[in-house]
Amino acid sequence: MTPLYRHIIVGLDLSEESPQVLSKAVALAKACEAQLSVAHVIEPITFAYGGDMPVDLSEVQEQLQLKAEQELQRLASQANFPIQQEHVLVGQPATELHYLANQQDADLIIVGSHGRKGFALLLGSTCNSVLHGAMCDVLAVRVNPPEDKKSS
């Protein structure tokens, strides 16, 4: 019998909810006996600030990338499952995840979904963008925000 999935890529935003998404991805990878790769996409600073700034931001971009690589490595080391590859990419998240999935012959992309409503939903989300245009299956994992520490 052919396994349901052979190679899963989980896109992590490195927020406090990332361990929840990775945990679900690990459980599915174990159940399918699939390879699991993790990815984080950093949007270029020039995109985030409109590109009109006359300042060289390449050093800042490199620092962001280094910090993301370290955090992704930390999460992967806590996964309790062998991580095939760790990817830190620069670009638009959905586009980069689509490209990576195609390059790695992945058959599933897993992303976290914050369940936005109202105006935020109208603007779209990374999860929605990944879904549209993917050449493989996409699984959105509903994440719960961390408990408000003041209420405990």
Side-chain angles (χ1 to χ4, degrees):
M1 185 170 138
T2 305
L4 187 58
Y5 296 110
R6 296 177 328 294
H7 188 181
I8 299 169
I9 293 178
V10 57
L12 299 171
D13 63 3
L14 303 182
S15 67
E16 291 181 25
E17 294 90 1
S18 289
Q20 293 177 48
V21 178
L22 185 55
S23 175
K24 294 270 178 107
V26 164
L28 187 58
K30 283 180 180 177
C32 295
E33 298 179 3
Q35 295 178 355
L36 182 64
S37 295
V38 293
H40 174 69
V41 182
I42 301 170
E43 291 195 48
I45 293 176
T46 54
F47 287 177
Y49 294 101
D52 293 334
M53 295 178 67
V55 178
D56 180 12
L57 298 173
S58 58
E59 189 173 318
V60 174
Q61 188 78 48
E62 288 173 16
Q63 289 298 317
L64 287 172
Q65 189 157 349
L66 179 61
K67 186 174 179 178
E69 288 169 359
Q70 292 169 343
E71 181 62 13
L72 198 62
Q73 199 169 46
R74 184 188 71 77
L75 285 167
S77 71
Q78 296 175 349
N80 197 24
F81 187 81
I83 302 298
Q84 183 73 20
Q85 291 181 309
E86 299 166 22
H87 304 273
V88 175
L89 309 164
V90 178
Q92 198 279 328
T95 302
E96 295 301 320
L97 288 173
H98 293 158
Y99 178 77
L100 181 62
N102 288 337
Q103 290 296 106
Q104 299 292 314
D105 197 28
D107 42 16
L108 178 64
I109 300 171
I110 297 177
V111 291
S113 173
H114 295 272
R116 291 180 174 85
K117 297 177 183 170
F119 190 61
L121 181 62
L122 291 174
L123 293 176
S125 67
T126 299
C127 179
N128 190 42
S129 298
V130 172
L131 176 62
H132 297 292
M135 300 302 287
C136 63
D137 291 352
V138 176
L139 174 64
V141 173
R142 171 86 173 176
V143 294
N144 299 314
E147 297 275 337
D148 185 6
K149 293 178 176 106
K150 292 179 183 176
S151 65
S152 48

